[in-house]
Each structure stands twice: as structure tokens, then as C-alpha cells.
Amino acid sequence: MLFNISPANLSDHATDLLVIALPTGEPAPVAANLFQTLTAQGDFSGKSGESVSVPAAAETAAKRLLFVGLGDADKLTAKALDKAAQAIASAAVKKGIERVTLAPQSALNAGFYRQLGLHLGLKAYQYTQTFGTKELPTASTLARIDVPEHLDEVQRGHQIAQGANLTRELGNLPANTCTPTYLANQAKQLSHPKLNVEVLGEDAMRQLGMHSLLSVGHGSDQESQLAVMRFTNGGDEAPIALVGKGITFDTGGISLKPGAGMDEMKYDMCGAATVLGVMQAACELDLPLNIVAVIACAENMPSGRATKPGDVVTSMSGQTIEILNTDAEGRLVLCDALTFIQQENPSCIVDMATLTGACIIALGHHNTGLLGNDDALADELLAAGRDAMDTAWRLPISEEYDKQLDSNFADMGNIGGRDAGTITAACFLSRFVKNTPWAHLDIAGTAWTSGKAKGATGRPVPLLMNWLLKRAG
Ligand code: BES
Ligand code: MN
Ligand code: ZN
């Protein structure tokens, strides 16, 4: 697909899809008669969220016209522009559409063009890897963008989408392919002259004393892995640290989960997949930043060797943990990854994990849960999420909640009871963060969609990339 903006002579412009994005009340710059009919019949008014696709009118050389509403011209929100970008991308990737032209419109800003590039990339994604004979629909992918003034933003958005699509692909892969070793190997597939990747297996982790992380994989025949990506493209600044939960399948372990819907626990590595998607996009965009990223990969299985409720393990930090529920395993791998990454002296840490079902109860599937120890970092991330329409919402942490983790037999238990499950999980993690600004993203509700459209969403790659791009200046 070729995407362009045509400033002049819209009526004579030959294209498969001519997109006209309009605020409420504004007349179309082309096909006046057709537009009049649409508005008179109430088919289009320019409201945000509206989009009407019509076959070519006699008035233009375009094969199809797409009218997209932007809402009130005085208050063009990121949300309205994002909705418009989504509608345009959906229409643009349809089969048979090779040339897309966007009529110029002063209301469209840089943020819109980044979202447009993002959605063009996201809509073109199709999972194909594990089909045998089924015929799959093909989407038209973006081959060339010819949008002179906004080329950078569209391309940036499109690169972010490629990162998010890697995240989606890894999330969608079944756990018999996407094992801890497979996931860690994905880190080695990333390529940039300033990227160094190291993978630690169980022996190396034992040497480091990561017995909390290792306890999660005890019941599995798959070896646990820790992949470390050091991206040194930013001079001598302290690195930004990213940490991802990579449970390639979460049965719950001996605290076995119910059977219904358990297949979805293949998505329990979406934190790690997000880190990989972000690192791929950071490499492609050649971000002038230092980033150190760690993914903690393990499979949580029951077996004769599995960790049992009541077992006590010593974490890399020296703190001991009474594992009261083997299904609260995400925090057990993250705590050692957090201790590990602090040895790199990062300026801040952001971890991401499909950590708690409680987060879905609190925030549903619209907002990622954000918790942490630093208001400035939290605010930066919240703002980046709003710009990318990949939003997060902050929940509190404090000592009252932290108390719920007290244990009679170890420095802490790994669960804090039914109340405030997302918060007590974050309190647990906070015990492993010393003096570094830290934020935790609970993506249990946002990383994938259930039901008919089951699949990984690629969130929160857009949030994190908008944040990193801002940090990069
Ligand atoms: N991976 C799950 C969290 C999860 C559940 C994500 C459902 C998405 C959908 C996590 O490992 C888990 O099992 N958490 C437990 C914690 C509890 C035992 C304290 C949970 O949320 O039930
Ligand atoms: Mn679990
Ligand atoms: Zn889990």
C-alpha cells in the first residue's frame, strides 16, 4: 500500500481510497454533492468516531471515499484523533486497496500522524504461524509512505507497531513453541551495533542466588532463563531499566488454576514480550538512550519436584519468602530480576507483568495498572499513555497494604490475602527496590483480549515507546 497526502486537485487524483477527515460542521474539500447528500441524510456530521465509506462518486477520480469525523474543532482530543487514525487504518488495509490518499487538513497534528502510522502497522498484523491448511485473509501492508511533512511521525508510529506486533506474535504463540528458552533466544535475535545480549541459564542464576526465580520453574522440564539486553546508544548516562515477567505458561503450579480458560495463561509472558517489542523498536529507531532490559522466563508447572505451598526460599536480595500460593509466581521471578538489574545502577526501573487477576477486577481491560515509588516517573508514564491512547491508571501503595505480606516463617509471604491484590503484589515488589525511582505496570487486563477476538494486543508498547521517545528528546 502506498500512503500519501495530496494537497491539490483532489477531484482528479486517482487513488483507491481518498480519506477526508473533518471536524463537525466543516464542508468536504471535494465531492460537494455527495457530501451534501450524506449530511442531509444524517449519515455524516463530523462527530468523533464517525466514519462513512462510499464507492466513488462521479465527482472524483478516486475509487472510494472515506469520510472520518474528528469532532469539535476547538477541542481535538488525543482520543478523537486516535479514533480517526484507527478508522483510516482499518479502511486502508482492506484487500484491494493499494493507494490511499489523505486530503490535507490543518486539524491533524503530529500526534495524529504517529497514531496513524501505529494503527496502519497494527491493523496489518495477522497471526499465521500455527495454521496448517486454513486459508487466511491477507491485509495490505504499508509499502511506502509519501507524506512529506509528517513522514517522520508516520514512520515512527509504524516502527512502534512493528515492535508491538513482535509482542503480539510472541504472546499468541502457544507455550509448546514459546518456551523460556525460545523467549530468551528472541532477545538474541535483536540486532543493533550498540546492543549486547547475555542469557543466563539455571546454573548461572543459582550462582547469583536467584532461588526465588528458580523456585517457579522447579516443576517444569523447561529450563528457566534470564535474558539481559544492554543497549548503550546514549553516551554515559545511567541506563533506564526495563523488566518483564516471562511466564511462558502459568498452570498455577501446585496451587493449580481451574481448567476453564487456562489456555490463556500462555499470555503470561506478555511482560517479557513487551520488553522485547520495546527493545526492537528502540533499536529500529536508533534511540539515543542507554537501556538495560531483563526478561525473567520460566514455566509454572505442578510435578513431584514443584514448589509446594509453605516452602521457604531465599531471594537474591537475601530476603526469605514463604510461598503460600504457587500461583503468585510472577512476583517471585520479578523480585530477583529487580535485584539483578539494580546492579546496573539504573536511573529508573519500569517493570511490566500480567501480574494479578485483581487488576482486571479493578480496572477492566481499558487501563493498565500503574504503581510505584516515584510521583514524577508515574506522571511521565501516565502522560505518555494518554498521548498514545494506551492509557494507565495509578493505584496507591503504602505500609498498611504492605503489612498484609507479613509471614510467621519468613521475611514475607508471597500473597497478601484477597483484598487489594494488585496493590499487595506491588508492595511485594517494592521490598526489592532500594533507592531507585520505580514503576510497575500490571498489564493483566490490557495485554490480551479474550473471546472471539482472542489475541495479544501489543500493549503497553505504545505507552512505553512514547515515553522513551520523550526521554530521547
Ligand atoms: N498470571 C496470573 C495473573 C492473571 C490472572 C493474569 C488472570 C491475567 C488473567 C498470576 O500469576 C496469578 O495467578 N495471580 C494470582 C495471584 C493470587 C494467587 C494472589 C491471581 O491473580 O489470582
Ligand atoms: Mn499465577
Ligand atoms: Zn502468572
Side-chain angles (χ1 to χ4, degrees), residues 92-172:
V93 299
K94 290 228 169 88
K95 212 175 154 187
I97 305 269
E98 292 303 328
R99 295 160 305 169
V100 182
T101 304
L102 180 60
Q105 164 62 259
S106 57
L108 304 178
N109 59 20
F112 165 82
Y113 285 102
R114 187 179 295 179
Q115 291 305 100
L116 180 63
L118 174 74
H119 291 301
L120 283 170
L122 291 175
K123 299 275 189 219
Y125 172 79
Q126 161 89 51
Y127 178 80
T128 59
Q129 269 201 63
T130 43
F131 288 98
T133 55
K134 187 175 176 184
E135 276 201 37
L136 300 164
T138 51
S140 159
T141 55
L142 191 61
R144 195 154 71 79
I145 315 160
D146 186 9
V147 188
E149 273 174 68
H150 307 283
L151 185 62
D152 283 4
E153 283 301 345
V154 182
Q155 274 176 338
R156 232 169 252 143
H158 201 252
Q159 289 296 358
I160 295 171
Q162 301 318 305
N165 287 344
L166 171 64
T167 303
R168 294 163 80 187
E169 185 72 3
L170 294 171
N172 289 335

Side-chain angles (χ1 to χ4, degrees), residues 245 247 250 257 265 268 300 327-330 354-355:
K245 168 179 172 181
I247 300 299
D250 181 13
K257 285 183 181 295
M265 282 301 124
D268 212 18
N300 188 19
D327 197 11
E329 84 299 336
T354 49
L355 203 62

